[in-house]
Amino acid sequence: MKIYFHLNIEGFSNCYLVVNEESKEAIIVDPGRMTKELISQLEEQHLKLVAVLITHNHGSHVHGLKTLRKIYNPKIFAADWEVAKNDTTVITGDGKVKIAKMTVHYTALPGHTSDSVIFQIGNLLFTGDVLSAGLLGSTNSSYSDFILRSNIEQKIYSQQDGLILMPGHGPPTTLEAAKAFNLNKSNVSNQN
């Protein structure tokens, strides 16, 4: 498996291209903007785009989907039907699917938004906007903040420290670093 990073300058959001080198199949996570570089990479490497994973329905994470769907016919996985209407495979709760001959685990993690989902492929965790290097995701109420913090504690901080976090904004980090240096960690209850 190879991971390629593409930055959406307009929203300073991260888009990831996940490639199964053996099958030449690809997954895009959060296509905030379709760029010439991303399309060239798919075409020049003769990759078959089989799926798009959406961590949450915010423009800087989904705007590129319209262009993408004009060129390719990937399966779209999201927790919000509005992402691509009838072309959306709506996922809820926790589960796993086989995509591009890789196991993709998904976990609902509301708080930042009601449709926030994290995706794990191997030792990579695509967190969207719920958690990034040094920051917890923003929320719009104290209740949402409580839900987000509880979900991060139970569903992310309980994982192995070697897990690599691939956030929706900012640089990748490790779970160990996020737990040790998260600016808001002291506000998350420590049940361990």
Side-chain angles (χ1 to χ4, degrees):
M1 172 177 63
K2 275 196 173 178
I3 307 297
Y4 298 94
F5 166 80
H6 293 270
L7 178 65
N8 172 14
I9 295 294
E10 293 161 10
F12 291 103
S13 61
N14 300 333
C15 172
Y16 302 98
L17 177 64
V18 182
V19 176
N20 180 329
E21 295 173 288
E22 291 178 16
S23 69
K24 301 295 268 183
E25 294 175 306
I27 300 168
I28 291 179
V29 181
D30 286 348
R33 182 171 176 245
M34 286 309 296
T35 63
K36 181 177 79 172
E37 293 79 17
L38 183 54
I39 294 170
S40 293
Q41 190 171 18
L42 288 165
E43 294 301 316
E44 290 170 8
Q45 292 184 23
H46 306 288
L47 300 173
K48 179 181 180 185
L49 180 62
V50 294
V52 175
L53 309 178
I54 304 295
T55 60
H56 64 295
N57 191 3
H58 276 174
S60 65
H61 298 277
V62 299
H63 275 153
L65 201 52
K66 183 177 179 181
T67 302
L68 186 68
R69 292 174 64 212
K70 289 179 180 179
I71 304 168
Y72 305 102
N73 189 28
K75 196 164 188 177
I76 300 162
F77 294 87
D80 185 353
W81 178 82
E82 290 290 327
V83 167
K85 310 283 191 255
N86 291 334
D87 291 333
T88 305
T89 299
V90 177
I91 53 175
T92 59
D94 304 344
K96 64 182 177 179
V97 292
K98 196 77 159 176
I99 307 171
K101 298 180 181 55
M102 296 181 282
T103 301
V104 177
H105 296 268
Y106 59 87
T107 302
L109 211 146
H112 172 66
T113 62
S114 61
D115 70 319
S116 289
V117 177
I118 57 175
F119 296 96
Q120 183 174 348
I121 304 172
N123 71 332
L124 301 174
L125 186 66
F126 299 90
T127 60
D129 288 359
V130 301
L131 182 65
S132 61
L135 296 170
L136 298 178
S138 63
T139 59
N140 60 7
S141 71
S142 59
Y143 179 71
S144 294
D145 186 64
F146 171 77
I147 294 298
L148 178 64
R149 291 170 187 277
S150 297
N151 282 329
I152 288 172
E153 182 75 27
Q154 294 170 15
K155 298 179 180 185
I156 297 179
Y157 284 175
S158 62
Q159 302 288 326
Q160 295 293 322
D161 283 347
L163 199 61
I164 299 168
L165 304 182
M166 307 297 279
H169 301 274
T173 188
T174 64
L175 180 57
E176 182 178 26
K179 289 196 292 191
F181 299 107
N182 190 296
L183 298 176
N184 296 309
K185 184 179 184 287
S186 62
N187 296 329
V188 178
S189 65
N190 187 0
Q191 300 174 358
N192 293 334

